[in-house]
Amino acid sequence: MKRSYSEELKFFERASPYSWRIKQGFVPNMQVEGIFYVNEPLEKLTFDELQQAAGGEGHGGFLPAVKQISNVAALPGIVHKSIGLPDVHSGYGFAIGNVAAFDMDNPDAIVSPGGVGFDINCGVRLLRTNLHKDDVEPVKEQLAQAMFDHIPVGVGSKGVIPLSDKDLNEALQLGMDWSLREGYAWPEDKEHCEENGRMQQADHSKVSSKAKKRGLPQLGTLGAGNHYAEVQVVEEIFDKQAANTMGIDREGQVCIMIHSGSRGLGHQVATDALAQMEKAMKRDKIIVNDRQLACAKITSTEGQDYLKAMAAAGNYAWVNRTSMTHLTRKAFEKVFSSTPEDMDMHVIYDVSHNIAKIEEHVIDGKQRTVLVHRKGSTRAFSPHHPLIPNDYQITGQPVLIGGTMGTCSYVLTGTEQGMQETFGTTCHGAGRALSRAKSRRDLDYKEVLNKLKELGIAIRVASPKLVTEEAPESYKNVTDVVNTCHEAGISKKTFKLRPIAVIKG
């Protein structure tokens, strides 16, 4: 029986100035509570979405994000809470910006491809340079063109990194170790990458031939949608010690941010797994509130096969971003007639925001082994955590938060409070406020491009008409999102970046 909006509100309770609790009973079979983090402007967006759904207004086929968070709270084996970060918005199965962990000691605990997303290991890499904005401003158009020429972008783009079937299998297995062996990476690159750029449980034999066929021509390509490569300048430093540790010592310093994932290969891995898991759910009598939450027991053949294929797709994404790092260094070398080493083009960090990983966390005072699903959310481990690089043991893990086209981006660090509340996880970006279809209807791509030029941003796009989908108006305010995480204590602001050149599909 459908409830009114006022009846639904009874299941919500403010947990803190920056979070709301979703009580059990909001949707059937909730095993744990839900929680979501918002400040005042984001809170209005969240409850407006719920009110529209209660009023019967369409929502592009997706449930409101708070309903999706709650449906995840009803999945077998979930522990602690189903968590929504401030950039949370509706997605396939899990909301984008949803975090959930499942107890590895519970034989009924599940893994769900909807909790990872179709773009497996979509993530962000940040390079620093010793260049200043004054060095780049006079040549930013040439630099944008050089990057556009070097990095293949757009729907169906094909890579320039030569790849045989054997190479692809080795890249899926070895991740960045393959890139290093082939000369596309510096040795220190992988030291500043989540998982050192290689998930050890990867098994390329669990990746279908169809997925490999899609991935073979796409290595070293940016793709389309919200993916980008940006030349950015440091606009504001909030934590000088942490910034200095990352090699950022002044405002105006130039960085490069690369946002991309596993392309068609990862999408096919997710599609293949969902088909297998629907069969497994019937066999094992797994009940879910939403059929998009198709899942399998972690211990099942289907669950294990997915985790091995997902890890291989994750490795592909790290090789992909590494390949684009190589091409970016080449573009800068061409424009500035200087070596990447002389320009100090080192990787600050590379972090995933679409992945599931087995981790150790303290829950209710007890250390437990859990499978953490992070979908549209970023790992943000605290200082002294054994899984972050030695360089960042004092500051905590760097967290890369990309803005949308033309807006600022941020670098944060992880906190101990985040470890306790969110499995060491924070936001991943701005989060959509308008659907892609609504953005295309309401916005004019020429106006969007003109606004970027007025802001002094050099832009190169493969599909100009698609830029309306990624216009700033289509997204939540990234500063609201980041400030919420900072004020809630689940991550800490380090520095802010603004773009001066944008490369997009």
Side-chain angles (χ1 to χ4, degrees), residues 140-141 144-145 148 405-406 448-450 452-453 456-461 467 500-504:
K140 69 182 176 187
E141 291 292 342
Q145 189 61 48
F148 194 70
M405 192 171 52
V448 174
L449 293 174
N450 285 336
L452 293 174
K453 286 177 183 174
I457 298 170
I459 183 159
R460 297 293 185 279
V461 290
V467 300
I500 56 172
V502 179
I503 315 303
K504 283 191 71 69

Side-chain angles (χ1 to χ4, degrees), residues 205-248:
S205 72
K206 302 301 181 184
V207 177
S208 70
S209 58
K210 189 173 181 180
K212 290 177 181 178
K213 186 177 179 180
R214 292 181 69 178
L216 191 63
Q218 291 187 329
L219 191 69
T221 64
L222 193 62
N226 63 346
H227 295 158
Y228 59 76
E230 286 188 353
V231 181
Q232 304 173 333
V233 297
V234 176
E235 188 168 77
E236 190 173 0
I237 298 172
F238 307 105
D239 183 335
K240 287 187 177 179
Q241 181 191 355
N244 282 338
T245 302
M246 298 176 202
I248 301 298

Side-chain angles (χ1 to χ4, degrees), residues 32-37 68-70 72-73 78-88 94-102 114-116 353 355 359 361 370-380 418 421-428 490:
V32 296
E33 292 181 336
I35 191 166
F36 59 96
Y37 291 83
Q68 292 191 306
I69 292 167
S70 307
V72 168
I78 189 169
V79 292
H80 184 50
K81 292 178 176 72
S82 176
I83 302 159
L85 282 313
D87 50 345
V88 70
F94 279 56
I96 298 163
N98 198 173
V99 186
F102 299 83
V116 171
H353 51 232
I355 206 87
E359 297 173 357
H361 287 276
V370 291
L371 179 67
V372 183
H373 293 60
R374 293 187 179 94
K375 180 181 181 181
S377 53
T378 313
R379 195 185 77 171
E421 292 187 17
T422 62
F423 302 104
T425 314
T426 193
C427 62
H428 86 303
I490 59 174

Side-chain angles (χ1 to χ4, degrees), residues 9 21-22 76 87 156 398 417 457:
L9 282 181
R21 183 179 294 113
I22 308 171
D87 50 345
Q417 188 173 341
I457 298 170

